[in-house]
Amino acid sequence: MKHLALKLFAAAALLTSATACQKYSEQREGNTSTSGLTTVMCDNSFENIIQQEIDVYEYCYPKASVIPYYIPENAAIDSLLQLKTRLAVITRELTKDEMDFLKGKKRNPRCQRIAVDAIALIVNPANPIEKITRKEIAEILSGEVTDWNDLEPNKTGKISVLFDDSGSSTVAYMRDSLLMGKKFGENVFAQGSNKAVFEGVKNHKGAIGVIGVSWVASDLKSPSLSIEERVNSSQNSDTTALDFNQDIKVLKVQKNPESVEFFKPYQAYIYSGEYPLYRSIYMVCASVPGTTAHGFFSFVTGYQGQKIIQMTGVLPALVHPRLVEVN
């Protein structure tokens, strides 16, 4: 029996720049790229990704400490502009005005894409639905469709749409890309966190969750690994195959309104654009080289940080995937 497995290969150029993670042993005082304290303001959709980056970075450099704040995207940008932090993880590049503002504060911000995230649509495994069109998604979000039976013969009952937070970038993405100015229906609810979205779908047959793909990849076994195992995995250039957590069902989504093809948010389909619900993840650093903030920025945007992202199910900016058929 054949099945598709996703294989991801690091670019050869990246391999030449890969360096082993070594514990920092030099006795230094103050803030350097491998020692000291910094904060990062991160869109709460990406908590699972950035926390793994921090865990490995701090293990590699035990004199460095990165304190994360997982907050709505607008709050993360505001904190950066108010110089309350030197690092932010968001879904867009800074505007020219924002860049000029920081330069006027004698900062030289760097903004780099670190990954491409997919928005996964998840349902309870007891729900017989397997795929969904973009039009159907919009009708569910707007409240025009409120019962699963309105889509296809289905006894699951009323539809409840679960988001993480009313101010999250996930909410903004779905509103802007699918609703075209319409308001969300009364069947849409904020759960307060991505974990709560996952649990809500897991425990309620009628729920559909809207969540970043890193929260549902079964290869999220990586957080349960020891730090040493995660470090070794992040240094390994071997391929990685990902699937999804079996506690929920990930729906196939229509490629485009004219297409008859449907795809799940595997990394290869995110890369090819065949899975349609995706957005970029950017990291912004407003600190100078030689600081802890800049050191963490370099780590995340470098080979080892990109391998950590690959292990979460999100598409790294510097890794090219391909589909391979295996027996």
Side-chain angles (χ1 to χ4, degrees), residues 209-222:
V210 186
I211 193 170
V213 73
S214 72
W215 292 94
V216 298
S218 64
D219 206 46
L220 288 183
K221 60 179 186 249
S222 51

Side-chain angles (χ1 to χ4, degrees), residues 6 8 113 115-120 212-214 242 244 263-280 313-316 321:
L6 289 177
L8 293 103
R113 187 170 75 165
V116 180
D117 181 38
I119 305 298
V213 73
S214 72
L242 298 178
F244 299 114
F263 295 91
K264 287 188 177 183
Y266 288 116
Q267 288 165 317
Y269 296 142
I270 302 170
Y271 177 75
S272 66
E274 290 171 297
Y275 185 80
L277 306 179
Y278 63 88
R279 73 254 180 99
S280 294
V314 171
L315 179 69

Side-chain angles (χ1 to χ4, degrees), residues 120-133 136-137 140 148 151-154 156 208 244 246 248-254 261-266 275:
L121 300 179
I122 60 174
V123 297
N124 188 280
N127 192 328
I129 192 171
E130 298 290 340
K131 61 184 181 181
I132 193 167
T133 68
E136 289 168 341
I137 299 169
I140 290 172
W148 288 107
L151 301 181
E152 61 182 46
N154 191 324
T156 306
I208 179 170
F244 299 114
Q246 297 301 303
I248 50 81
K249 181 193 294 185
V250 178
L251 296 183
K252 294 180 180 180
V253 177
Q254 183 185 28
E261 295 182 292
F262 293 74
F263 295 91
K264 287 188 177 183
Y266 288 116
Y275 185 80

Side-chain angles (χ1 to χ4, degrees), residues 141-179:
L141 293 176
S142 66
E144 296 172 65
V145 171
T146 59
D147 194 289
W148 288 107
N149 197 53
D150 294 334
L151 301 181
E152 61 182 46
N154 191 324
K155 297 180 180 180
T156 306
K158 296 294 184 182
I159 302 173
S160 297
V161 184
L162 307 184
F163 279 98
D164 52 347
D165 185 274
S166 59
S168 77
S169 61
T170 304
V171 170
Y173 175 87
M174 297 299 281
R175 181 185 61 234
D176 296 343
S177 62
L178 290 172
L179 287 189

